[in-house]
Amino acid sequence: MKLKKGIKRFFVLLLVIALIIVSIFAYKKFSTKKEEVKDIKIVNQVEKYDYKLKENKSKKYKELFKELKKNLENEPVEEEEYVKKITEMFITDFYTLDDKMTKSDVGGVDFLHKDVVENFLVNAEDTYYKYLESNLYDNRNQNLPEVEEVTINSVTKSPYTIGSNTDENAYKVEVSWTYTKSDFSTYQSSATLIFVHDDIKLVLVELQ
């Protein structure tokens, strides 16, 4: 009888040890997974204008950023080319979802007027970005749009008032674009953007 009790205690002890080992393994696995969350680095920037390029951006966007930087480092800056380039960049960044980490990772925010950012983000997360799955652990399997080509159809100047300020030389840009996959041929593919001057920068105040 004593032998049976000893065996029982032995197996109970083994079971407890096994549970502890499994718990430790599960904890380590979960912790490791947490540590594998992508850390997105800044790989280029235009300090004077506070434009930053993240490493996860598409090859196309990175090329556009280089072109923008080259233009902004010239004296004097060719302003119409400047507004054309940031229009291309905004459309490419905002309407491309493939390189976004979560639905709160809204593209094009670098080009927005500070007074419209909050409302813009809310609208974006409730509409175009609403069903974007998280890719924090680099394991997303979702067919997502990527902008292929952007065409500037026209650039005109006209007065525009935001708050108590009126920019007599605001830019109105008509633009259209295509996607890399025919799956997204019914998605939005044209828009009107309005940019105003904010010191040396041009910032987006309206997207129609």
Side-chain angles (χ1 to χ4, degrees):
M1 193 69 172
K2 289 182 180 180
L3 182 60
K4 286 183 179 180
K5 284 185 178 180
I7 293 173
K8 188 176 180 180
R9 289 196 196 96
F10 176 72
F11 280 112
V12 168
L13 181 61
L14 283 180
L15 180 61
V16 171
I17 292 172
L19 287 171
I20 292 172
I21 293 172
V22 170
S23 299
I24 292 172
F25 178 77
Y27 174 78
K28 285 185 176 180
K29 187 176 181 181
F30 179 74
S31 299
T32 302
K33 190 175 183 182
K34 271 191 167 182
E35 291 169 3
E36 289 173 355
V37 173
K38 284 185 175 181
D39 180 21
I40 308 301
K41 297 177 182 177
I42 303 299
V43 294
N44 202 349
Q45 59 185 322
V46 185
E47 291 185 14
K48 189 175 180 180
Y49 289 78
D50 196 30
Y51 292 132
K52 296 180 175 65
L53 176 64
K54 296 179 181 179
E55 64 177 347
N56 66 321
K57 295 301 181 185
S58 67
K59 182 179 179 181
K60 177 179 176 59
Y61 187 86
K62 288 175 180 176
E63 288 301 318
L64 291 172
F65 191 94
K66 287 180 183 178
E67 293 168 12
L68 173 68
K69 184 174 183 178
K70 183 178 180 181
N71 182 31
L72 295 180
E73 288 177 345
N74 288 334
E75 291 293 346
V77 171
E78 296 179 23
E79 197 167 76
E80 188 167 317
E81 290 305 311
Y82 172 24
V83 77
K84 287 180 179 179
K85 193 58 60 181
I86 59 177
T87 296
E88 284 187 75
M89 294 174 73
F90 174 82
I91 296 298
T92 299
D93 197 18
F94 180 76
Y95 290 97
T96 293
L97 297 183
D98 191 55
D99 60 357
K100 304 303 184 294
M101 301 301 293
T102 67
K103 74 172 189 175
S104 61
D105 184 19
V106 177
V109 178
D110 288 349
F111 307 107
L112 298 178
H113 189 289
K114 61 182 183 297
D115 291 348
V116 305
V117 171
E118 185 176 350
N119 188 55
F120 182 87
L121 290 174
V122 171
N123 288 336
E125 290 179 36
D126 285 344
T127 54
Y128 193 65
Y129 283 69
K130 186 173 183 177
Y131 300 106
L132 180 63
E133 297 173 4
S134 172
N135 196 35
L136 289 174
Y137 301 116
D138 199 23
N139 60 354
R140 181 172 60 206
N141 184 22
Q142 188 179 15
N143 188 27
L144 296 169
E146 181 179 353
V147 172
E148 181 173 42
E149 185 175 355
V150 180
T151 302
I152 307 297
N153 299 314
S154 67
V155 178
T156 56
K157 283 186 177 182
S158 60
Y160 187 91
T161 301
I162 178 168
S164 59
N165 299 316
T166 298
D167 185 346
E168 298 295 338
N169 293 298
Y171 285 95
K172 179 180 180 180
V173 185
E174 302 286 348
V175 61
S176 57
W177 61 93
T178 59
Y179 296 94
T180 57
K181 298 177 184 177
S182 59
D183 307 45
F184 307 103
S185 59
T186 59
Y187 278 40
Q188 182 179 355
S189 59
S190 64
T192 300
L193 284 68
I194 297 178
F195 294 87
V196 298
H197 294 83
D198 180 16
D199 195 14
I200 62 172
K201 291 181 72 171
L202 287 169
V203 288
L204 181 63
V205 291
E206 195 169 321
L207 171 65
Q208 304 171 357

